[in-house]
């Protein structure tokens, strides 16, 4: 299943509300996960099952969607949120596909 | 505290082999809800799922890009998962991460190793 993300990059300021989009090539129900990755670090799980917040992740992160269209929203961007965000489908588990990523940098 | 500590990796020539290891601690490694995965990231590129192995070791899958060359295995007695990489190619150059897959989280990977660099170059 092919995954696409938009935009590929985004410039924003601290305090902004931003929304990232992920689209699946076919319906994946809500088997969609979001990860954050900072340079030189391993990815970190933020959201699973499209909208469930992983333990320990701040509530400013939220996810929505089902079927083929999904969003990740960060409400009130913090300095530590500047990173690359990847979506991943787990509908075909144990085979997975990641999206190409969205890089969020400082305006 | 859940930890995945990776070892192995390094510089090899095309056609050579390498074995990566990932030692788990802080959870019951052999528990039925924990499958293990390898994910890689080429320099400056995105994430690519490579392989997965079920808790019992009997349900194994590979990405087409590595099928027939890579072998995943696990030793539940040693709380470890391995990736044997044979006939390596330049395009296998990447940081390799092991990751725990939690079935209760819709298959999401909730814990990751620190990553290990594999460089394939003559």
């Amino acid at each position: 299943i092919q995954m696409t993300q938009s935009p590929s990059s985004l410039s924003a300021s601290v305090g902004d509300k931003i929304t990232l989009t992920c689209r699946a090539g076919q319906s994946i129900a809500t088997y969609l996960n979001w990860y954050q990755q900072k340079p030189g670090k391993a990815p970190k799980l933020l959201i699973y099952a499209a909208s469930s917040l992983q333990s320990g992740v701040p509530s400013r992160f939220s996810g929505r969607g089902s079927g083929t269209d999904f969003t990740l929203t960060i409400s009130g961007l913090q300095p530590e949120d500047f990173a690359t965000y990847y979506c991943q489908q787990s509908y075909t588990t144990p085979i997975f596909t990641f999206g190409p990523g969205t890089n969020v940098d400082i305006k | 505290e859940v930890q995945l500590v990776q070892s192995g990796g390094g510089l090899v020539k095309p056609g050579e082999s390498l074995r990566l290891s990932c030692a788990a601690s802080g959870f019951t490694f052999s528990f039925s809800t924990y499958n293990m995965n390898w994910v890689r990231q080429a320099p400056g590129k995105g994430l690519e799922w490579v392989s997965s192995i079920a808790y019992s070791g009997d349900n194994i899958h590979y990405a087409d890009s590595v099928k027939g060359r890579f072998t995943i295995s696990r030793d539940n007695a040693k709380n470890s998962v391995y990736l044997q990489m044979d006939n390596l190619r330049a395009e296998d150059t990447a940081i390799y991460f092991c990751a725990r897959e939690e079935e209760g989280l819709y298959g999401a990977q909730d814990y990751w190793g620190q990553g290990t660099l594999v460089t394939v170059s003559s």
Side-chain angles (χ1 to χ4, degrees):
Chain A
I1 298 177
Q2 186 158 1
M3 306 298 292
T4 58
Q5 290 185 242
S6 61
S8 58
S9 64
L10 182 159
S11 293
S13 301
V14 172
D16 283 353
K17 177 179 179 179
I18 65 171
T19 297
L20 313 182
T21 297
C22 175
R23 179 164 291 169
Q26 66 183 69
S27 177
I28 57 171
T30 56
Y31 286 83
L32 191 283
N33 312 307
W34 289 96
Y35 299 84
Q36 176 195 68
Q37 188 182 32
K38 297 180 180 179
K41 299 294 186 181
K44 173 187 175 183
L45 177 64
L46 299 176
I47 300 283
Y48 64 94
S51 61
S52 295
L53 194 66
Q54 171 65 347
S55 175
V57 174
S59 59
R60 62 181 180 272
F61 291 91
S62 63
R64 295 188 63 178
S66 66
T68 60
D69 295 321
F70 303 87
T71 59
L72 172 70
T73 297
I74 310 175
S75 301
L77 207 58
Q78 296 300 301
E80 60 268 29
D81 300 337
F82 293 97
T84 300
Y85 293 83
Y86 294 94
C87 63
Q88 177 205 43
Q89 68 83 14
S90 52
Y91 183 76
T92 56
T93 180
I95 296 170
F96 305 90
T97 316
F98 291 92
T102 293
N103 181 53
V104 177
D105 62 17
I106 301 173
K107 185 184 290 182
Chain B
E1 179 194 6
V2 173
Q3 283 194 309
L4 299 175
V5 178
Q6 298 180 225
S7 59
L11 173 63
V12 296
K13 294 180 170 56
E16 293 186 342
S17 300
L18 209 54
R19 188 196 198 206
L20 306 183
S21 299
C22 173
S25 61
F27 67 102
T28 305
F29 185 70
S30 60
F31 200 53
S32 61
T33 61
Y34 300 131
N35 300 327
M36 296 299 294
N37 292 263
W38 288 95
V39 174
R40 69 184 180 183
Q41 186 169 37
K45 303 296 185 183
L47 301 170
E48 179 190 15
W49 171 80
V50 172
S51 183
S52 66
I53 185 167
Y55 71 98
S56 57
D58 62 351
N59 191 12
I60 289 173
H61 296 266
Y62 299 98
D64 288 344
S65 57
V66 306
K67 202 172 291 183
R69 300 186 299 119
F70 289 14
T71 303
I72 190 172
S73 62
R74 65 190 290 165
D75 185 336
N76 288 343
K78 294 183 178 180
N79 290 345
S80 293
V81 62
Y82 309 97
L83 187 67
Q84 175 68 38
M85 303 183 293
D86 297 322
N87 191 19
L88 281 159
R89 305 168 179 167
E91 54 265 35
D92 296 319
T93 294
I95 296 172
Y96 286 73
F97 298 98
C98 62
R100 186 181 86 167
E101 175 194 334
E102 162 63 81
E103 287 189 2
L105 301 182
Y106 276 54
Q109 282 97 49
D110 59 347
Y111 286 93
W112 294 65
Q114 81 276 21
T116 187
L117 178 62
V118 172
T119 304
V120 185
S121 174
S122 54

